[in-house]
Amino acid sequence: MKNLSLIILCTIMSAFITQNVGAIKVVSGIVYDHKQQVLPGVSVMEKGTRNGTVTDFKGEYKIKVSDDAKFLVFSFVGMKTQEVEINKKLSSNVVMEPDLNSLNEVSIVAEDCELEEEIVVVGYGVQKKSTVTGAVSSYVLPGREPQYNHPRLLQMQEDYASVKANVFLDPKIDPLSTFSVDVDRASYSNIRRFLNGGTLPPKDAVRIEEMVNYFNYNYKGPRDKRPFVVHHEVVDCPWNRTHYLMKIALQGKKIDKENLPPSNIVFLLDVSGSMNAPQKLPLLKSALKMLVNELRDEDRVSIVVYAGAAGIVLEPTSGREKIKIMDALDKLSAGGSTAGGAGLKLAYKLAAENFIKEGNNRIVLATDGDFNVGLSTNLDMENLIETQRDKGIYMTVMGFGMGNYKDSKMELIADKGNGNYFYIDNFLEAKKALVEEFGGTLYTIAKDVKLQLEFNPEHVAGYRLIGYENRLLNKEDFNNDKIDAGEIGSGHTVTALYEIIPVGAEDTANYLHTADPLKYQKEKKQEKIKTNKEFLDELLTVKLRYKFPDENKSNLMVIPIKNQVKDYDDASADFIMAASVAAWGMKFKNENYVNNITIEDIINMAQKSECVDEIGYFSELIRLMKISEILSDESIKTSKK
């Protein structure tokens, strides 16, 4: 009897343990906005816990929760936080509504005044901008709760390099267009941060080439020993059908992860007081943990931090010791001033001491760019970075946060360091840069890549490069191997667009302007250009120079392009996609070249591209375009009709 009772008791206890130990359930669904557009990057948390996830670029989420969990909490910038009960079907699609208070509480700025006279709302009164920009942390309007870190107010403290849009040039006078390639993507994700926060980005934060190059296109890769292949397409211009639009694209060779050279990576991390915000140091640590998971046993990682002083928190460690590396990241906290210069010097010293010949030697700088102690002038940093670059130590830059963000300094560091520049605004962007594009982010396949286009005046009356304003080179720089240019990573794509005015276009005079005749000297009469009949069918010639990473002598590629223009309806999906993103960027910058179309036209253009959207980047683009339309003057004009 005792044995029977014991057996029954054990059976009951076993069943109880089976039902309760480690019991979990999986909840999934899709998150939409109020216009039924999917929302990527939404935070999904199990209520009362630290257990959470984010929606992917398709707006989808999947989260494991405890068996007794009752609610999920959904939050997103510019949207009302929602608490949703977990149903029996374990599936919840959520529609988030705009938080009108946060979207409408925009700082009042007297745009027409001089800088020192601009007025912003602070507390319950007003102050001159010059008295508050150094330490603005919050503002309130009468009857409202304080709104911390509002993007419209905080952008006043952010720093962007001013650029002037390229103009149309006459090939009879300026037949050559020369520029350095650019595969940075920071501008697009930074623009996304502003739009998600309910405000348009400042014009100088918009770099059209970085917007276009944010997306991966369906270009075929090289089949020979060259590191990339060149593609081109000439189509009727969608915003001015009397003009042409030409796409020049480079597709880099993709190297399988197991075939990549060993890495000597130094994480140079800003842990100063300015990084003490949820979207800064905590996001930085999460991003780098994803990168650590991609490392192999032969890769080595070190960690240097800087705040009031610089120091080493992790000596060179094999990629197999992932737990040790992540523990070092977990222990980081923010505080103190920003000794950026000391940090750079220490990181370079550590990278040099552990240099891997024929390997990937690179510093990954993660910061908000607020270098304000020590080595802080652009010239000092430029000299240091260029010297180390020539020794084979490159620099990748990851930007975080808002408010005191120093975009101009971050771009300069990456440019001079032969590396890429990213802005990490959320967890998904970190995954894109450090996991999905791991090889391209960290491994250079070609350096000092330059393009030079020669336009044939027999067919071209004028041309304009769209974007790349801060990448322009002198024509003589193309053949000078001592001139630094851009880099291309494993699997990277580079796309550039030119608007072309064909000979005979009726609006030529609207875009090409001549100067008054000289008073004190006689101008030379321009001789009639004689074109070699052999090249009469060519629209232009593309020349390209590049170096392999371990070489100092450039290689030359020459690609003639025929005078063959496709109808816009026959353009490729990649072409239409790139054109729509470029047009959108020009709208942000208020360029007159796209006055003939609206943002709604651009949205329709993008949607007709029929791009494959497995991850959801295209869906997010459409959503952001629609937000910009709402925030722009165009929506106001439309509503008044």
Side-chain angles (χ1 to χ4, degrees):
M1 181 65 72
K2 287 183 179 181
N3 290 337
L4 179 61
S5 299
L6 184 60
I7 292 172
I8 294 173
L9 179 60
C10 289
T11 302
I12 294 173
M13 290 182 65
S14 176
F16 179 80
I17 292 172
T18 301
Q19 291 176 1
N20 291 276
V21 174
I24 61 170
K25 53 189 176 184
V26 178
V27 185
S28 61
I30 305 174
V31 180
Y32 302 90
D33 65 11
H34 62 297
K35 292 189 175 182
Q36 290 300 306
Q37 295 293 316
V38 296
L39 273 178
V42 176
S43 171
V44 184
M45 302 292 295
E46 178 183 352
K47 184 179 179 181
T49 73
R50 294 185 177 182
N51 177 35
T53 186
V54 293
T55 57
D56 62 19
F57 281 102
K58 294 182 180 180
E60 298 176 355
Y61 72 92
K62 182 179 289 186
I63 182 172
K64 294 180 180 179
V65 298
S66 58
D67 191 53
D68 58 351
K70 302 294 184 184
F71 294 95
L72 295 178
V73 179
F74 296 78
S75 58
F76 188 73
V77 176
M79 297 288 181
K80 293 179 180 178
T81 298
Q82 291 195 36
E83 191 173 291
V84 177
E85 186 174 4
I86 299 172
N87 58 40
K88 293 181 179 179
K89 295 181 180 180
L90 300 180
S91 177
S92 293
N93 291 344
V94 177
V95 177
M96 302 193 74
E97 296 294 331
D99 185 348
L100 297 180
N101 285 337
S102 71
L103 289 176
N104 291 332
E105 288 169 348
V106 178
S107 56
I108 300 173
V109 182
E111 300 278 358
D112 295 331
C113 300
E114 296 298 324
L115 182 63
E116 63 271 18
E117 295 299 326
E118 291 184 358
I119 307 299
V120 296
V121 175
V122 179
Y124 286 92
V126 294
Q127 294 185 21
K128 290 183 179 180
K129 177 181 174 182
S130 58
T131 65
V132 297
T133 51
V136 175
S137 59
S138 67
Y139 74 100
V140 294
L141 294 173
R144 304 277 179 86
E145 293 296 320
Q147 300 293 314
Y148 295 93
N149 295 331
H150 192 284
R152 180 72 172 95
L153 184 63
L154 288 174
Q155 77 178 53
M156 297 174 183
Q157 303 173 64
E158 299 189 359
D159 184 26
Y160 299 93
S162 180
V163 294
K164 187 176 180 180
N166 294 326
V167 298
F168 278 96
L169 299 175
D170 185 342
K172 295 186 182 70
I173 302 170
D174 298 291
L176 299 175
S177 174
T178 311
F179 67 99
S180 163
V181 302
D182 183 17
V183 292
D184 293 343
R185 283 98 182 268
S187 183
Y188 182 87
S189 50
N190 195 24
I191 290 168
R192 178 174 61 206
R193 183 251 300 187
F194 278 105
L195 293 176
N196 282 338
T199 184
L200 293 172
K203 292 180 184 178
D204 290 332
V206 178
R207 293 187 288 274
I208 295 173
E209 69 278 6
E210 294 185 20
M211 297 174 66
V212 172
N213 286 317
Y214 181 83
F215 301 93
N216 291 320
Y217 300 96
N218 190 31
Y219 304 147
K220 292 182 179 179
R223 296 181 178 179
D224 53 22
K225 294 182 179 180
R226 291 174 176 172
F228 46 78
V229 65
V230 180
H231 300 277
H232 71 272
E233 192 171 1
V234 185
V235 179
D236 291 335
C237 182
W239 52 83
N240 188 336
R241 292 303 177 92
T242 65
H243 295 180
Y244 306 153
L245 188 65
M246 180 181 66
K247 177 192 72 181
I248 298 293
L250 280 62
Q251 174 62 61
K253 180 176 292 184
K254 184 174 180 59
I255 303 174
D256 293 334
K257 182 178 174 181
E258 57 269 19
N259 295 327
L260 292 170
S263 287
N264 164 35
I265 300 175
V266 179
F267 291 156
L268 175 56
L269 310 181
D270 183 352
V271 293
S272 64
S274 67
M275 292 291 288
N276 189 20
Q279 73 276 19
K280 293 188 179 184
L281 187 58
L283 180 57
L284 183 161
K285 292 195 285 188
S286 296
L288 291 184
K289 285 179 181 179
M290 284 191 287
L291 176 56
V292 170
N293 279 327
E294 297 299 308
L295 298 178
R296 305 158 302 174
D297 292 355
E298 60 266 36
D299 300 324
R300 294 201 298 263
V301 168
S302 315
I303 300 178
V304 172
V305 298
Y306 63 92
I312 300 173
V313 298
L314 182 71
E315 295 287 348
T317 303
S318 167
R320 76 169 66 92
E321 298 186 69
K322 291 179 172 54
I323 295 177
K324 180 179 179 181
I325 300 170
M326 292 184 185
D327 284 345
L329 289 170
D330 282 334
K331 293 175 182 177
L332 300 179
S333 60
S337 55
T338 317
L344 278 173
K345 290 180 179 178
L346 183 56
Y348 276 124
K349 180 176 181 293
L350 198 58
E353 291 173 349
N354 296 277
F355 190 87
I356 300 176
K357 189 176 181 181
E358 298 182 356
N360 171 43
N361 299 278
R362 186 177 299 267
I363 293 171
V364 177
L365 170 62
T367 177
D368 59 10
D370 194 12
F371 289 69
N372 54 25
V373 175
L375 183 69
S376 59
T377 68
N378 285 351
L379 184 59
D380 288 340
M381 284 192 298
E382 189 173 333
N383 291 335
L384 173 63
I385 293 167
E386 286 181 336
T387 299
Q388 297 298 326
R389 175 196 72 202
D390 294 340
K391 295 179 180 179
I393 302 174
Y394 293 172
M395 173 81 74
T396 291
V397 180
M398 298 166 53
F400 293 82
M402 63 179 70
N404 59 336
Y405 191 65
K406 308 303 179 187
D407 175 84
S408 59
K409 197 165 290 188
M410 309 272 277
E411 185 186 19
L412 174 74
I413 292 172
D415 181 23
K416 299 301 178 182
N418 276 13
N420 311 126
Y421 168 34
F422 303 90
Y423 177 77
I424 308 297
D425 59 328
N426 58 43
F427 187 80
L428 290 176
E429 182 62 25
K431 181 181 178 183
K432 179 180 187 291
L434 300 177
V435 178
E436 295 170 12
E437 300 173 0
F438 174 75
T441 300
L442 295 181
Y443 295 91
T444 299
I445 60 172
K447 66 180 182 180
D448 293 340
V449 184
K450 311 170 191 174
L451 282 163
Q452 185 171 78
L453 283 67
E454 180 182 353
F455 291 86
N456 184 354
E458 282 286 330
H459 304 296
V460 178
Y463 65 89
R464 186 178 86 91
L465 174 61
I466 300 173
Y468 290 92
E469 287 87 356
N470 57 2
R471 297 282 182 165
L472 299 180
L473 298 172
N474 298 321
K475 60 184 179 182
E476 59 271 17
D477 293 341
F478 181 73
N479 291 326
N480 187 348
D481 282 351
K482 294 182 180 179
I483 300 298
D484 180 56
E487 286 66 46
I488 295 180
S490 169
H492 265 162
T493 61
V494 179
T495 301
L497 297 170
Y498 278 87
E499 185 174 350
I500 297 173
I501 304 174
V503 169
E506 295 180 357
D507 61 351
T508 301
N510 296 336
Y511 298 97
L512 294 174
H513 304 286
T514 58
D516 291 335
L518 296 177
K519 179 179 180 180
Y520 299 108
Q521 55 183 298
K522 292 182 179 181
E523 294 185 75
K524 293 181 180 179
K525 290 185 178 180
Q526 190 173 21
E527 296 181 5
K528 186 177 180 181
I529 295 176
K530 296 180 181 180
T531 305
N532 191 321
K533 292 182 179 180
E534 183 182 352
F535 306 120
L536 277 177
D537 62 341
E538 292 182 7
L539 188 68
L540 67 145
T541 295
V542 177
K543 292 187 293 184
L544 186 147
R545 284 195 178 275
Y546 68 93
K547 301 172 188 171
F548 287 103
D550 57 348
E551 296 181 359
N552 294 317
K553 183 176 176 57
S554 67
N555 302 279
L556 176 66
M557 296 174 64
V558 180
I559 304 101
I561 295 179
K562 302 294 184 181
N563 185 29
Q564 298 172 350
V565 183
K566 293 196 296 187
D567 186 85
Y568 179 74
D569 293 335
D570 297 326
S572 68
D574 288 331
F575 182 96
I576 298 173
M577 177 72 170
S580 63
V581 175
W584 188 41
M586 287 188 274
K587 280 291 184 182
F588 280 128
K589 299 177 81 68
N590 291 332
E591 291 188 9
N592 295 328
Y593 304 112
V594 288
N595 282 346
N596 294 336
I597 59 173
T598 65
I599 296 178
E600 183 179 3
D601 294 330
I602 295 171
I603 294 171
N604 292 333
M605 185 195 314
Q607 289 176 326
K608 289 179 181 178
S609 69
E610 299 180 350
C611 283
V612 176
D613 192 35
E614 294 179 356
I615 299 178
Y617 299 129
F618 178 70
S619 300
E620 185 195 42
L621 169 68
I622 299 301
R623 180 181 66 82
L624 294 175
M625 284 181 169
K626 291 180 177 179
I627 292 175
S628 71
E629 183 184 24
I630 294 171
L631 296 172
S632 70
D633 292 337
E634 287 187 11
S635 63
I636 297 174
K637 293 174 183 177
T638 303
S639 65
K640 289 181 179 180
K641 290 182 180 180

